[in-house]
Amino acid sequence: MFTTTFSKPNVMDLGLPAKPKDETKKPPPTEIKLSNSISILLGKNNRVFWHQQDATSLNDQTLMETTLDREGIRKVIQQAKSRAADQTKFTVIIKPTDDAVYKNFVDILDEMAITKSEQYGVTDIKPWEKAVYEKKVGGAAAPAAATK
């Protein structure tokens, strides 16, 4: 007879804001200044890109590529945080593309804890960012259904 124990699943806390009870009392939309934020794009083939640009100034030269390690994205986040106009409001905006893999998303969430970046958000990649991303990686991204 053989016996075994199942490994316990690893769980990561992800604090989400509570839903407002009354729709009329929504807080006003918050504009995050570029100097207080960094956008991280998770791409295909474990590639990671970042920028601190708006729609008019982002291009394939200002969309920077880095790696998912302490000498890569961790250093980029720490440097951006140290240059922020108001470090208490520094925000990391995570934008996975359709080509990103779940492991990279978990890795970037780990980096939020390691770099003590308590203010971060996950959102869709903007159309203007997607156009620059696709140009940078060399052509249009494959549809999500076609990736494995």
Side-chain angles (χ1 to χ4, degrees), residues 72-133:
I73 196 64
R74 187 176 307 168
K75 190 177 272 188
V76 167
I77 293 169
Q78 290 169 336
Q79 289 174 348
K81 191 174 189 177
S82 69
R83 290 189 310 262
D86 184 354
Q87 292 184 8
T88 62
K89 294 181 180 178
F90 181 74
T91 305
V92 178
I93 306 165
I94 304 166
K95 301 178 180 186
T97 65
D98 291 340
D99 303 321
V101 294
Y102 182 72
K103 180 190 178 307
N104 292 346
F105 182 72
V106 171
D107 289 345
I108 205 70
L109 291 180
D110 286 342
E111 291 299 328
M112 296 302 101
I114 293 167
T115 60
K116 296 179 177 58
S117 299
E118 296 175 359
Q119 295 186 74
Y120 61 89
V122 180
T123 187
D124 292 329
I125 186 170
K126 304 282 187 228
W128 51 273
E129 289 173 310
K130 187 173 184 176
V132 174
Y133 162 76

Side-chain angles (χ1 to χ4, degrees), residues 25-107:
K25 295 183 181 180
K26 278 187 167 178
T30 304
E31 180 84 20
I32 301 172
K33 294 182 181 179
L34 290 173
S35 62
N36 286 335
S37 68
I38 184 171
S39 294
I40 299 174
L41 282 64
L42 302 175
K44 65 180 175 180
N45 299 327
N46 300 316
R47 294 175 76 183
V48 182
F49 300 91
W50 65 275
H51 71 85
Q52 291 181 290
Q53 308 293 323
D54 60 8
T56 58
S57 59
L58 183 67
N59 59 46
D60 59 336
Q61 302 299 315
T62 57
L63 181 64
M64 307 303 227
E65 186 170 5
T66 189
T67 58
L68 270 169
D69 59 20
R70 74 175 122 172
E71 294 302 316
I73 196 64
R74 187 176 307 168
K75 190 177 272 188
V76 167
I77 293 169
Q78 290 169 336
Q79 289 174 348
K81 191 174 189 177
S82 69
R83 290 189 310 262
D86 184 354
Q87 292 184 8
T88 62
K89 294 181 180 178
F90 181 74
T91 305
V92 178
I93 306 165
I94 304 166
K95 301 178 180 186
T97 65
D98 291 340
D99 303 321
V101 294
Y102 182 72
K103 180 190 178 307
N104 292 346
F105 182 72
V106 171
D107 289 345

